Amino acid sequence: MPSAGAIAPPCIVPLRAPVPGVPTTHIDCSTYIEIETESPRCKIYFTTSGAKPNPFQLKVAGREQTFRYKAPFTLKTGKRTLKAIAVTRDGLQESAVVTKTFTVDDTSGFNNYTADDDESLASVRSVDTYVSEYNPKFSKNKPRSTKKPTRNSRKEPPRSKSVDFKQAWSESNGVNNGSDHVNIPDGPFNPTNYSGTQVNVWGVPPHNMAGWLTAPGGPGGVSYPTHEQQLGYMTEKMLQSLDEQKQQTMNDMRTAMQQEIPPPAIEPPPPPEPVIEYVKKEPELRPISRGNGDWKEQLEHIYAHLIEHTKNHPNFKKNISSPKFGQISGVVYKEEEDCFNLNITLAKPGVRPKPKLKTTVKALDTAKKLSKAGSKKAGSDTEATKKKKEKVVDPYFETEEYEQEGTVKAWPDFNAEGDAEIIRNAMKGFGTDEATIINVLAYRSNSQRLEIAKVFKTMFGKDLTKELNGELSGNFCDIMVGLLLHPANYDANEIRKAVEGLGTDDDVLVEILCTRTNKQIQAIKAAYKNLFQKSLEKDVKDDTSGHFKRLLVSQIQANRDESPTFDRNQAKADAQALFEAGENKWGTDESKFNQILSSRSFAHLRAVFEEYGTLSKKSMEDVIKAEFSGDIKNGLLTIVRVIQNKPGYFAKQLHKSMQGLGTNDDLLVRVVVTRCECDMVQIKEEFQKQYKGTLAEWIIDDTSGDYKETLLALIGERACKPPAKAADPYDVVVGEPEPEMEQDLYEEEGVVGPIENFQAEKDCEVLRKAMKGFGTDEKAIIGVIPARSNDQRQQLLTQYKTMYGKDLIKELKGELGGSLKDTVVGLMKTSTDFSASELHKAMKGLGTDEDVLIEQICTKSNAELAAVKAAYRRLFSADLEKDIVSETSGHFKRLLVSCLQANRNENREFDRAKARADAEVLYKAGEKKWGTDESRFNVILCSRSYGHLRAMFEEYKKFSKKDIEDAIKSEMSGDLEKGMLTTIRVVRNKAAYFAKLLHDSMKGLGTDDDTLIRVMVSRCEVDMVQVKQEFLRLYKQSLDAFVADDLSGDYKKIIVALVNGNGCGVKSSSGQTENVFKPDDAASGDEED
């Protein structure tokens, strides 16, 4: 007994009569298990997997492991370990865990015991006594004592007459026909959940339960107890409909069957219907159809001319009149230059459609030529050689062609900006317009959706995926986010989820890696590396083992032969090899199956399977099921099924995701998202062939809400309702197009370029000599580094390491110091690496240098930004955009993110009418509005071309008395103001912007060396000629003179060298040669060096 206040542990009791020689823990699958506790008002929880019951977490990883006990239940066959625990209703107290292990056999194991087989069966306890002892609450005659009998206090009941279990049960139910089973209502087999318990859906005991229960009127008069049944929704509905109808009992039905059935009255035959002769009216034969949109009239026109053609061509008439045609299986319409081509395919009744085979003429011609050449050469061979050649059969080649069609196709009138605006309005404010989001994203191709996401980020500085995650939820959110990923990125994400954390979802690995093409797998590996900085192959190896691991590694190599042409003789040889490695061998040679199934082409393997049928009575699928098990079996079966019928395989996956109770939404979403643009048309056809009902009907029955609508749209079973065009909040009307061509303001010219007769070895010797020994010859270093182009400096890095085995940059860092060192090190980097390093330095540590971010991001072209992002990831293993998002905030963050998309229109042609409309929008979003709509400025300034923006600045003055720069200063502030002004000044005159930066870095007390070095290093080979001209125009002083006045020492020398150039005669826009820097004799490779 438990201590005062404790919870009594539950008792696990099998409800069956004892069987001689069989322990109580040895039961069959129809034996009911009862769990009860002596403590009142307690809940009982149990598990069948051997794990400890957890009343507060019934489901683990989406599967129910802990069950709440409601009524007796049965177990599946096998060894089952039950653990039960009693918990108070408030969950504050719980009992000890009780464990009991049962060996569960099939029902046939206990049905063969009779009184004749064993004398001890004559002393089997009566049903009434057994029920009273093992479950007193089921007995009509309750025991006198209210205390429940414990296992030790049970007394042996009086012996009773032998009872035949089957007979007792049949008699108690009115069955006297000697049948050994109960007539139960028609229905499915007892549903079984994933943990091994079974639920009796009919509410009556099975045929061998008579040993412990009887129906009213049976022996002992014991009533069958009513339990709270564990029924599903569909089962409850079925039972409810049965209760509503008036049902007959078994005795009523038996009585009705014994009564004489009067013969049916013979009714006189109905009078024959009047014969109506239908006169076939042929359509009118016209030379040309009207073509007014009436498709029926068009078909009648074709029909009329087909009849006329048949009448005039006897051979065609003879050929078409004999065969029996089936339904139309395909119609292809194509408009040629001189005709219309209509190809109609009819099914052949009784014949299963096969893949189309087409003989390649070129391959046959090549084979014939080779055979002829071999026959000519054979004259000079010996007789032995001729005999060997006679044994070799010339291979013949076949080519397979397959058609694939997706249900999601490119939207014809696609407008990325318009769609992005519509989606933003659907998520703006309170609530979300899910239907609008579906009508946009579910009806655009993958490339169009990616363009929408990119334009959305460019226009509003926000990530569309994150916005959808914040606005949507559940499976609807998952499918929408999946649609915004590139197919390779989507597969890489699914694989990562499958191998991440504890356990591995092997089904996901099999589905993706065993069904994709070589090109797709290569893209998945690259995407996996880019997204997670890990190797896909290594992660798969770490999470799998054995032959299954080897199969997946083989698939990851993406080395399958994808030729549609195959050799029939080689196919026969491979079929024989598989037969010898499997059926014809003790054990299985798994490596041979892996080798052939992972490397041969699909066309070849289809021929192998066909040839295998001549060697064995089993199909290839049956062979794999017999020879393999576990994950390796699933992987090989997937490959075989994909080879035989890829749409059929994915139709099976869709059916698997929706069959039974519940829905595997991950599988359903994954298949629909990945196949909707590939072969969903064929998958739908296969689904309808293999299973009852269409795919749309299954989805409607199994899903609901916006999730259902999205799935139906992706499989082409939902009519698109195009959303209305996004309303302009400022009511701006765009006039008639006024196309113009942008005029170049200037040509960009650098002052540093590649010198002629460049010799990397001599320059490396000069640099080595300058840094060798005590002290450093800075003059020699300045004579070489700034006098070479960036490409030539990169050659110096390689050559120096080759000659001396040292890194030149590290050597320079060790020998130089201060601003001179920073300048030299910056020059030794590539332009993209230098920009990436400057951005990283601006965000490193505490605080952020927003001025550097503005200068490096808002001034570059699309190509330059893409290169800088790639260099940032390569150098620092980080994403530039993510780092900027984490270091900035607000509208300033959105401005930088928009620029980083590198999605600016760079066409020289622009529309003056649209520029005028944009100017009016900015005026209404800023000066004419209470407050400022910063996002509208962001949309226009970050996405329009430079020519368009210059025209827009001109038009803005017509709406406002202010210049656009003045408007920005009055409407914005802080870093956002600086970013917007930088964009405008770069659009107007990039050289003037950098001239101002140089002037600001040196004016007043002190010098901003970081800005000065950054501008000089990054612009000396780009547009330093124009920067010097603008500097002179703006500040009435030459740049080199201004530098000479502000700097000193070697630092001044190298900056002046970059201002003047390297003596390569770089011409300015006026056609004159600039004043160039002449390198020292030491840098020219003089004899003194």
Side-chain angles (χ1 to χ4, degrees):
M1 290 294 292
S3 59
I7 304 299
C11 183
I12 304 174
V13 181
L15 302 180
R16 70 164 176 82
V19 178
V22 180
T24 57
T25 58
H26 195 162
I27 61 176
D28 61 10
C29 62
S30 63
T31 301
Y32 275 68
I33 307 297
E34 184 188 40
I35 308 176
E36 57 183 4
T37 179
E38 296 180 357
S39 298
R41 296 184 297 277
C42 288
K43 298 178 183 178
I44 299 177
Y45 295 89
F46 69 98
T47 62
T48 60
S49 60
K52 179 181 178 181
N54 187 353
F56 307 102
Q57 186 179 3
L58 303 184
K59 290 186 178 181
V60 178
R63 292 186 175 182
E64 191 171 7
Q65 287 192 357
T66 302
F67 303 86
R68 181 184 174 188
Y69 177 79
K70 296 182 179 180
F73 57 90
T74 59
L75 295 174
K76 291 179 64 177
T77 57
K79 189 173 182 180
R80 304 290 173 185
T81 300
L82 267 67
K83 290 194 175 185
I85 189 172
V87 183
T88 56
R89 293 186 180 274
D90 56 6
L92 299 179
Q93 289 183 307
E94 62 182 27
S95 70
V97 179
V98 177
T99 304
K100 201 162 191 177
T101 302
F102 292 96
T103 301
V104 186
D105 291 335
D106 194 46
T107 55
S108 59
F110 289 89
N111 290 343
N112 297 328
Y113 286 97
T114 61
D116 298 332
D117 295 336
D118 198 329
E119 295 180 358
S120 62
L121 285 178
S123 62
V124 173
R125 307 167 187 177
S126 66
V127 175
D128 212 3
T129 305
Y130 183 81
V131 173
S132 300
E133 176 182 348
Y134 280 87
N135 203 339
K137 63 181 179 181
F138 288 168
S139 175
K140 292 184 178 179
N141 302 321
K142 295 186 178 180
R144 297 177 181 178
S145 175
T146 57
K147 180 180 180 182
K148 292 189 177 181
T150 60
R151 185 171 300 179
N152 297 329
S153 63
R154 287 176 181 165
K155 296 180 180 179
E156 183 70 15
R159 304 267 180 173
S160 60
K161 188 179 180 180
S162 174
V163 178
D164 187 279
F165 300 146
K166 300 177 182 178
Q167 181 179 1
W169 175 247
S170 59
E171 289 177 358
S172 64
N173 286 276
V175 180
N176 55 10
N177 55 3
S179 175
D180 59 350
H181 68 277
V182 180
N183 293 327
I184 57 179
D186 292 333
F189 187 72
N190 292 359
T192 304
N193 61 33
Y194 294 104
S195 296
T197 59
Q198 297 180 348
V199 182
N200 191 340
V201 301
W202 300 299
V204 298
H207 61 275
N208 61 345
M209 295 294 295
W212 69 283
L213 289 177
T214 58
V222 180
S223 300
Y224 177 71
T226 301
H227 297 293
E228 184 181 354
Q229 299 175 343
Q230 302 175 4
L231 303 180
Y233 176 80
M234 297 181 65
T235 307
E236 289 180 353
K237 288 296 183 183
M238 179 185 71
L239 296 178
Q240 182 180 354
S241 62
L242 290 176
D243 292 339
E244 293 175 356
Q245 301 175 6
K246 188 174 182 180
Q247 300 293 324
Q248 290 181 328
T249 64
M250 296 295 294
N251 292 330
D252 294 337
M253 294 173 63
R254 193 174 292 105
T255 303
M257 292 176 63
Q258 292 176 356
Q259 294 177 356
E260 295 184 359
I261 303 175
I266 301 176
E267 299 180 358
E273 297 181 359
V275 179
I276 302 175
E277 296 184 358
Y278 294 95
V279 180
K280 295 184 180 180
K281 183 179 179 181
E282 297 181 357
E284 181 181 356
L285 185 65
R286 297 190 183 95
I288 301 176
S289 66
R290 294 190 180 94
N292 55 359
D294 189 349
W295 59 271
K296 290 185 178 179
E297 184 178 334
Q298 296 287 87
L299 292 179
E300 289 177 355
H301 176 81
I302 296 173
Y303 175 55
H305 280 270
L306 189 59
I307 293 176
E308 186 67 19
H309 177 83
T310 306
K311 291 178 180 178
N312 298 333
H313 295 79
N315 292 333
F316 177 74
K317 183 177 182 181
K318 180 181 178 181
N319 293 334
I320 204 172
S321 60
S322 300
K324 295 180 179 180
F325 296 120
Q327 297 179 351
I328 294 178
S329 60
V331 178
V332 179
Y333 167 77
K334 188 176 181 181
E335 182 177 352
E336 306 287 350
E337 293 182 0
D338 57 345
C339 65
F340 298 98
N341 190 354
L342 185 64
N343 186 5
I344 302 176
T345 304
L346 300 172
K348 184 179 288 187
V351 179
R352 187 176 180 180
K354 296 183 178 180
K356 298 180 181 179
L357 299 178
K358 180 180 178 182
T359 305
T360 305
V361 180
K362 292 183 179 179
L364 289 174
D365 292 343
T366 304
K368 290 179 180 178
K369 290 179 182 179
L370 292 174
S371 62
K372 289 181 180 179
S375 62
K376 290 181 181 179
K377 187 179 179 181
S380 59
D381 295 337
T382 61
E383 292 296 328
T385 307
K386 289 182 179 179
K387 289 182 180 180
K388 289 182 180 179
K389 290 188 176 182
E390 287 176 358
K391 294 181 181 179
V392 179
V393 181
D394 291 337
Y396 65 97
F397 301 93
E398 297 175 5
T399 300
E400 294 187 341
E401 294 179 351
Y402 296 93
E403 293 182 358
Q404 293 184 350
E405 183 181 357
T407 50
V408 176
K409 299 176 181 178
W411 190 255
D413 301 326
F414 175 64
N415 183 355
E417 289 191 10
D419 287 345
E421 191 78 44
I422 291 171
I423 293 175
R424 181 174 183 266
N425 290 341
M427 297 186 291
K428 194 175 181 180
F430 293 100
T432 305
D433 187 354
E434 290 86 356
T436 298
I437 296 175
I438 295 173
N439 288 328
V440 174
L441 295 182
Y443 295 93
R444 305 295 187 268
S445 65
N446 184 263
S447 59
Q448 290 175 337
R449 292 193 295 268
L450 295 178
E451 182 67 18
I452 291 172
K454 189 174 183 180
V455 170
F456 189 93
K457 188 176 285 188
T458 304
M459 293 174 64
F460 308 111
K462 297 181 180 180
D463 188 279
L464 180 55
T465 301
K466 292 182 179 179
E467 292 294 299
L468 290 176
N469 270 320
E471 295 289 335
L472 311 179
S473 61
N475 297 318
F476 179 49
C477 177
D478 294 340
I479 197 169
M480 282 301 174
V481 171
L483 289 174
L484 289 175
L485 294 175
H486 187 276
N489 291 350
Y490 182 84
D491 284 344
N493 272 297
E494 291 296 300
I495 293 176
R496 181 62 182 169
K497 287 194 296 185
V499 300
E500 193 175 24
L502 297 177
T504 305
D505 193 340
D506 300 309
D507 292 338
V508 175
L509 300 181
V510 169
E511 179 193 326
I512 295 177
L513 296 178
C514 294
T515 63
R516 303 301 193 253
T517 64
N518 292 345
K519 187 176 180 181
Q520 289 170 338
I521 291 177
Q522 294 287 6
I524 291 170
K525 291 196 294 184
Y528 195 92
K529 182 70 174 178
N530 183 51
L531 292 173
F532 309 110
Q533 286 76 51
K534 294 187 177 183
S535 169
L536 172 61
E537 182 175 336
K538 184 179 183 303
D539 281 359
V540 170
K541 283 182 178 179
D542 292 343
D543 268 57
T544 56
S545 61
H547 292 287
F548 179 58
K549 176 180 73 175
R550 295 167 197 163
L551 175 66
L552 295 183
V553 171
S554 298
Q555 302 302 314
I556 291 173
Q557 304 316 305
N559 199 30
R560 182 184 296 279
D561 178 14
E562 294 184 339
S563 170
T565 303
F566 62 91
D567 182 354
R568 178 68 64 173
N569 293 327
Q570 183 62 39
K572 292 180 180 178
D574 284 346
Q576 184 67 38
L578 291 177
F579 180 72
E580 296 295 336
E583 287 187 80
N584 204 31
K585 179 182 177 67
W586 180 262
T588 307
D589 185 359
E590 293 88 352
S591 62
K592 180 59 66 175
F593 280 82
N594 191 13
Q595 174 193 348
I596 294 176
L597 294 180
S598 297
S599 61
R600 305 293 194 266
S601 69
F602 280 14
H604 176 91
L605 288 173
R606 275 186 278 269
V608 170
F609 301 157
E610 184 179 341
E611 295 296 334
Y612 194 92
T614 63
L615 302 174
S616 171
K617 295 180 181 180
K618 294 182 179 180
S619 67
M620 184 55 63
E621 286 194 40
D622 295 334
V623 171
I624 291 174
K625 290 177 182 177
E627 298 291 332
F628 297 89
S629 63
D631 293 325
I632 180 66
K633 180 186 75 172
N634 295 336
L636 293 176
L637 281 177
T638 296
I639 294 175
V640 172
R641 288 166 180 168
V642 168
I643 291 169
Q644 291 176 332
N645 186 354
K646 183 178 282 189
Y649 166 77
F650 284 109
K652 182 179 179 66
Q653 290 292 93
L654 289 172
H655 179 261
K656 177 182 175 182
S657 70
M658 294 181 285
Q659 70 176 351
L661 298 177
T663 306
N664 187 344
D665 296 297
D666 291 339
L667 177 58
L668 178 60
V669 169
R670 186 169 58 249
V671 174
V672 172
V673 169
T674 56
R675 310 310 300 181
C676 63
E677 294 185 51
C678 300
D679 51 3
M680 186 55 72
V681 172
Q682 288 73 27
I683 291 173
K684 288 164 59 181
E685 294 173 356
E686 290 294 330
F687 191 95
Q688 192 165 3
K689 289 179 184 177
Q690 297 181 24
Y691 311 104
K692 294 181 181 179
T694 64
L695 177 58
E697 292 171 347
W698 278 70
I699 289 176
I700 292 172
D701 291 341
D702 236 53
T703 59
S704 61
D706 298 315
Y707 177 42
K708 176 188 71 177
E709 295 298 321
T710 306
L711 290 173
L712 292 176
L714 293 177
I715 68 169
E717 298 293 341
R718 177 183 182 271
C720 178
K721 302 173 183 177
K725 184 179 179 181
D728 187 353
Y730 302 107
D731 297 327
V732 175
V733 179
V734 182
E736 293 296 325
E738 303 175 22
E740 293 184 19
M741 185 65 68
E742 177 190 4
Q743 301 296 325
D744 289 338
L745 295 181
Y746 58 89
E747 293 181 358
E748 292 185 340
E749 300 178 24
V751 294
V752 176
I755 65 170
E756 296 181 0
N757 302 322
F758 170 67
Q759 297 181 19
E761 289 188 14
K762 288 188 176 181
D763 284 348
C764 288
E765 291 174 359
V766 171
L767 293 174
R768 174 66 173 170
K769 183 178 179 181
M771 294 184 289
K772 190 176 181 181
F774 293 101
T776 304
D777 188 355
E778 289 86 357
K779 181 179 179 182
I781 295 174
I782 296 172
V784 174
I785 301 299
R788 306 294 182 264
S789 68
N790 190 269
D791 291 339
Q792 291 173 341
R793 291 193 290 269
Q794 302 311 307
Q795 296 179 43
L796 290 179
L797 288 174
T798 304
Q799 186 65 34
Y800 194 89
K801 184 173 287 188
T802 302
M803 294 174 62
Y804 306 110
K806 296 182 179 180
D807 187 276
L808 179 56
I809 294 181
K810 290 183 179 179
E811 292 287 293
L812 292 170
K813 285 182 178 179
E815 295 293 332
L816 305 177
S819 299
L820 175 62
K821 178 188 72 173
D822 296 339
T823 306
V824 171
V825 171
L827 288 170
M828 295 306 298
K829 296 179 181 179
T830 63
S831 58
T832 54
D833 286 1
F834 178 73
S835 295
S837 299
E838 291 298 303
L839 288 169
H840 185 262
K841 187 168 68 173
M843 295 182 286
K844 187 178 180 181
L846 297 176
T848 304
D849 192 342
E850 288 83 2
D851 293 338
V852 176
L853 302 183
I854 293 171
E855 175 198 327
Q856 293 294 321
I857 293 176
C858 297
T859 63
K860 297 191 182 310
S861 64
N862 292 345
E864 290 171 339
L865 284 171
V868 169
K869 290 195 293 184
Y872 193 92
R873 179 178 291 277
R874 173 173 50 81
L875 293 173
F876 308 108
S877 300
D879 185 81
L880 176 59
E881 183 179 326
K882 288 183 179 179
D883 284 355
I884 286 178
V885 169
S886 64
E887 293 290 333
T888 57
S889 62
H891 291 287
F892 177 58
K893 175 185 71 176
R894 294 168 194 164
L895 172 68
L896 296 182
V897 170
S898 297
C899 293
L900 279 176
Q901 303 316 301
N903 199 33
R904 183 183 296 280
N905 182 1
E906 293 184 342
N907 295 330
R908 294 182 60 191
E909 185 177 357
F910 64 92
D911 186 353
R912 174 71 64 171
K914 290 184 178 179
R916 188 179 302 113
D918 282 346
E920 185 178 355
V921 168
L922 291 187
Y923 175 68
K924 292 183 177 180
E927 293 184 69
K928 200 176 179 181
K929 180 183 176 67
W930 179 260
T932 307
D933 186 358
E934 292 88 352
S935 62
R936 193 55 51 183
F937 282 82
N938 198 41
V939 168
I940 295 175
L941 292 179
C942 295
S943 61
R944 306 295 194 262
S945 68
Y946 280 11
H948 177 98
L949 290 176
R950 293 187 189 106
M952 190 266 292
F953 299 158
E954 296 174 2
E955 297 295 331
Y956 188 86
K957 292 182 179 179
K958 299 177 182 179
F959 292 98
S960 171
K961 297 180 181 180
K962 294 181 180 179
D963 181 73
I964 186 67
E965 289 193 34
D966 297 331
I968 294 290
K969 291 176 183 178
S970 62
E971 295 293 329
M972 301 177 190
S973 61
D975 296 324
L976 178 62
E977 176 191 346
K978 293 179 183 178
M980 293 283 184
L981 288 176
T982 296
T983 303
I984 294 171
R985 290 165 181 170
V986 169
V987 169
R988 283 178 160 170
N989 190 338
K990 185 181 290 187
Y993 167 76
F994 284 110
K996 186 177 187 305
L997 276 184
L998 289 173
H999 180 266
D1000 292 344
S1001 67
M1002 293 181 286
K1003 73 176 181 179
L1005 297 176
T1007 304
D1008 185 355
D1009 296 304
D1010 291 338
T1011 301
L1012 176 61
I1013 294 171
R1014 191 168 55 248
V1015 174
M1016 294 305 304
V1017 170
S1018 61
R1019 310 311 298 182
C1020 63
E1021 294 186 49
V1022 180
D1023 57 356
M1024 187 53 69
V1025 172
Q1026 288 74 30
V1027 172
K1028 289 162 62 178
Q1029 292 173 353
E1030 291 297 327
F1031 194 94
L1032 181 62
R1033 180 181 66 84
L1034 292 171
Y1035 306 108
K1036 311 305 179 184
Q1037 188 177 1
S1038 64
L1039 179 58
D1040 55 350
F1042 200 81
V1043 168
D1045 291 343
D1046 202 67
L1047 307 179
S1048 62
D1050 295 324
Y1051 177 36
K1052 179 181 74 173
K1053 293 178 183 178
I1054 195 169
I1055 295 298
V1056 171
L1058 293 176
V1059 171
N1060 292 330
N1062 62 357
C1064 293
V1066 178
K1067 294 183 180 180
S1068 64
S1069 58
S1070 61
Q1072 302 295 326
T1073 302
E1074 287 282 341
N1075 182 23
V1076 295
F1077 167 75
K1078 297 181 180 180
D1080 295 332
D1081 294 337
S1084 303
D1086 200 39
E1087 291 181 356
E1088 293 181 4
D1089 300 325

